[in-house]
């Protein structure tokens, strides 16, 4: 049976750690190992990190343009679109605020001392995060080419939003541009898939480097980081969303969880918000009784911009890398980090591995070592599974709340009737 990508990544992770640890404790000082094996691992690992960085700028620009173009239906749906859009944004802001608050309290990665443990071939220069006034002023680029060349993400996001709005203003004449950007987005998604198919080899090489210098504190820090991310996402899936739905719609949390069970399992297995769209639609219309008009508009929009799970993931991953490499984020920089995460989450690709690319964007924006992607990518599959489930369950929660406020949900209580007897409301 053909191994899944996640299985190959795990195999590469453990094999690399074993080989790296053996080099550190059994073959220390052996020229063959120190010069050739570690040198080869350094080169291969650096190439993998560079491949991820290669995708960052075009992926963010194209994804956000496509997302803005898709949002033009909000004006047609009026109040319904406004509610859906606002709740998605509020949901993401709450998730970011919670993640950054917990992250600043727990400080994941503190004491790991990873500085100098991996290649510095692609090291970025640490930059000062601007104050809020400078941030607002500098978000408008004077030279778009320079913004792309420097990888200034806030300026690139600003240009992407302007481009999307300009295409919308063209009305039917913008059709060719929309098709072009959608095709470009598909190409970028395919490139992300191709790069992620190389992840087992890249992780293997990077883990050899880390294994050659790892100590017990580092291992515990990585385990603690993964546990923190998964714990927050599990809380969001099994407590936060059911409680919010219960408070606003009257549907019992236990009933909401029962109806989203299939959706949770499917999203855990695929780690893709886009691939889970059909299951999310079925959950809303067939099990909860949300009208097809509400679900048909809200679910595709949510797969594009409702990325609360991704926001939690990349916020904690960034704090982990910053602390592990001895460059902790100051409390004064948290607002800038949160704003950047909010803007990036809209452009996060709904495909497996999209979170890794977004972490790479944040590391670049904050001047943090991109080599931190070695650890983030190595344990990405574990985190990505749960952040995808958080995303899609959030889509279901928001659309259920909107449908209830618009009287577009079945009158049968979701907690009182078996699944087989549910009536679809259209």
């Amino acid at each position: 049976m053909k191994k899944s990508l996640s299985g190959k990544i795990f195999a590469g992770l453990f094999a690399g750690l074993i080989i790296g640890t053996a080099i550190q404790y059994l073959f220390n000082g052996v020229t063959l190992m120190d010069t050739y094996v570690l040198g080869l691992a350094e080169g291969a690992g650096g190439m993998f990190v560079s491949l991820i960085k290669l995708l960052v700028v075009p992926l963010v620009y194209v994804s956000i343009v496509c997302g803005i173009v898709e949002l033009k239906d909000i004006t047609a749906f009026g109040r319904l679109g406004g509610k859906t859009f606002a709740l998605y944004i509020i949901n993401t802001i709450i998730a970011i605020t919670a993640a950054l608050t917990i992250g600043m309290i727990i400080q994941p990665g503190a004491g790991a001392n990873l500085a100098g443990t991996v290649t510095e071939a692609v090291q970025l220069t640490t930059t000062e995060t601007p104050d809020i006034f400078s941030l607002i002023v500098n978000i408008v680029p004077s030279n778009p080419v320079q913004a792309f060349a420097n990888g200034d993400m806030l300026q690139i996001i600003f240009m992407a939003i302007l481009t999307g709005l300009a295409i919308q203003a063209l009305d039917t004449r913008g059709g060719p541009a929309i098709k072009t950007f959608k095709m470009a987005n598909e190409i970028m998604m395919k490139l992300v898939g191709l790069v992620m198919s190389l992840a087992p080899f890249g992780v293997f090489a990077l883990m050899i480097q880390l294994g050659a210098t790892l100590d017990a504190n580092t291992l515990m820090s990585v385990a603690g980081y993964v546990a923190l991310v998964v714990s927050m996402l599990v809380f969001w899936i099994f407590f936060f969303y059911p409680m919010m739905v219960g408070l606003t719609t009257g549907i019992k949390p236990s009933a909401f969880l029962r109806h989203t069970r299939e959706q949770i399992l499917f999203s855990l297995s695929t780690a893709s918000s886009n691939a889970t769209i059909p299951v999310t639609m079925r959950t809303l219309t067939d099990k909860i009784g949300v009208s097809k008009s509400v679900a048909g508009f809200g679910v595709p929009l949510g797969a594009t911009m409702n990325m609360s799970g991704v926001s939690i993931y990349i916020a904690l991953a960034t704090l982990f890398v910053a602390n592990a490499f001895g460059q902790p984020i100051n409390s004064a920089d948290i607002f800038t980090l949160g704003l950047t995460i909010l803007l990036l989450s809209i452009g996060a690709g709904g495909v497996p591995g999209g979170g890794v690319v977004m972490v790479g964007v944040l590391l670049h924006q904050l001047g943090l070592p991109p080599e931190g992607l070695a650890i983030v990518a190595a344990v990405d599959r574990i985190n990505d599974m749960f952040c995808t489930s958080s995303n899609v369950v959030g889509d279901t929660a928001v659309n259920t709340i909107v449908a209830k406020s618009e009287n577009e949900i079945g009158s049968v209580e979701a907690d009182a009737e078996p699944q087989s007897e549910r009536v679809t409301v259209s």
Side-chain angles (χ1 to χ4, degrees):
M1 184 177 178
K2 191 175 181 180
K3 285 186 177 180
S4 65
L5 178 61
S6 59
K8 294 177 181 177
I9 290 176
F10 282 131
L13 166 65
F14 289 113
L17 283 175
I18 291 171
I19 293 174
T21 303
I23 291 174
Q24 179 179 187
Y25 294 104
L26 301 179
F27 302 102
N28 188 24
V30 177
T31 304
L32 176 64
M33 294 296 179
D34 290 344
T35 302
Y36 296 102
V37 175
L38 286 181
L40 181 62
E42 179 179 348
M47 290 175 66
F48 176 66
V49 172
S50 296
L51 272 176
I52 294 178
K53 291 172 59 184
L54 174 69
L55 302 177
V56 166
V57 170
L59 176 65
V60 170
Y61 182 76
V62 172
S63 296
I64 292 181
V65 170
C66 288
I68 295 297
V69 169
E70 293 294 331
L71 296 183
K72 67 181 180 181
D73 288 336
I74 288 181
T75 57
F77 276 82
R79 186 177 65 252
L80 171 64
K83 285 182 180 179
T84 307
F85 180 83
L87 283 178
Y88 281 150
I89 294 295
I90 292 171
N91 178 37
T92 303
I93 291 174
I94 293 173
I96 293 171
T97 303
L100 291 178
T101 301
I102 296 297
M104 291 299 289
I105 293 173
I106 297 179
Q107 294 292 327
N113 299 319
L114 289 178
T117 60
V118 289
T119 177
E120 298 183 359
V122 287
Q123 182 76 26
L124 293 176
T125 302
T126 303
T127 58
E128 291 290 333
T129 306
D131 57 59
I132 183 59
F133 180 75
S134 299
L135 179 70
I136 295 173
V137 171
N138 294 331
I139 200 172
V140 181
S142 59
N143 187 335
V145 176
Q146 184 178 11
F148 277 96
N150 294 338
D152 191 320
M153 286 305 139
L154 292 181
Q155 292 186 354
I156 291 170
I157 291 170
F158 178 80
M159 288 188 290
I161 293 173
L162 282 185
T163 303
L165 293 175
I167 293 174
Q168 285 188 43
L170 291 175
D171 199 22
T172 56
R173 293 177 297 163
I178 293 174
K179 290 180 180 179
T180 299
F181 273 101
K182 285 187 175 181
M183 178 55 67
N185 192 50
E186 290 184 20
I187 292 172
M188 293 309 304
M189 292 300 102
K190 178 63 68 175
L191 284 173
V192 170
L194 290 174
V195 171
M196 289 309 298
S197 69
L198 299 174
F201 306 102
V203 167
F204 174 71
L206 291 165
M207 287 301 104
I208 288 177
Q209 294 176 257
L210 289 176
T213 52
L214 280 178
D215 55 25
N217 288 335
T218 300
L219 288 174
M220 291 302 295
S221 293
V222 175
Y225 151 67
V226 174
L228 179 60
V229 173
V230 171
S231 297
M232 278 207 68
L233 293 172
V234 166
F235 175 83
W236 233 247
I237 296 168
F238 293 99
F239 182 81
F240 180 77
Y241 287 134
M243 288 300 297
M244 289 300 100
V245 170
L247 290 173
T248 54
T249 68
I251 298 175
K252 290 184 178 179
S254 59
F256 180 79
L257 282 174
R258 184 172 68 250
H259 292 317
T260 56
R261 182 171 51 200
E262 175 186 298
Q263 183 187 27
I264 292 172
L265 293 175
F266 188 85
S267 59
L268 284 173
S269 63
T270 62
S272 171
S273 298
N274 289 340
T276 313
I277 285 177
V279 181
T280 303
M281 293 284 290
R282 179 175 179 271
T283 298
L284 283 166
T285 58
D286 292 355
K287 298 182 179 181
I288 299 178
V290 172
S291 70
K292 292 181 179 177
S293 61
V294 172
F297 169 71
V299 173
L301 178 63
T304 300
M305 64 170 297
N306 185 36
M307 295 293 173
S308 58
V310 171
S311 299
I312 291 172
Y313 171 23
I314 63 179
L316 293 177
T318 303
L319 291 176
F320 167 75
V321 173
N323 291 329
F325 282 85
Q327 300 179 36
I329 304 295
N330 297 322
S331 57
D333 299 332
I334 286 297
F335 179 82
T336 300
L337 178 59
L339 177 61
T340 307
I341 293 172
L342 175 63
L343 294 173
L344 287 177
S345 64
I346 299 176
V351 297
V356 174
V357 179
M358 294 301 106
V359 173
V361 173
L362 283 172
L363 298 186
H364 185 103
Q365 178 71 22
L366 298 173
L368 295 172
E371 295 82 12
L373 283 174
I375 300 174
V376 174
V379 296
D380 172 70
R381 183 62 179 187
I382 300 174
N383 295 330
D384 198 24
M385 290 163 54
F386 289 93
C387 85
T388 301
S389 286
S390 178
N391 290 339
V392 298
V393 173
D395 294 346
T396 301
V398 167
N399 281 281
T400 301
I401 294 170
V402 170
K404 181 67 175 179
S405 69
E406 294 289 318
N407 293 319
E408 293 282 350
I409 192 171
S411 59
V412 180
E413 287 296 328
D415 61 320
E417 194 161 323
Q419 187 171 305
S420 59
E421 297 179 16
R422 295 291 300 142
V423 177
T424 301
V425 179
S426 59

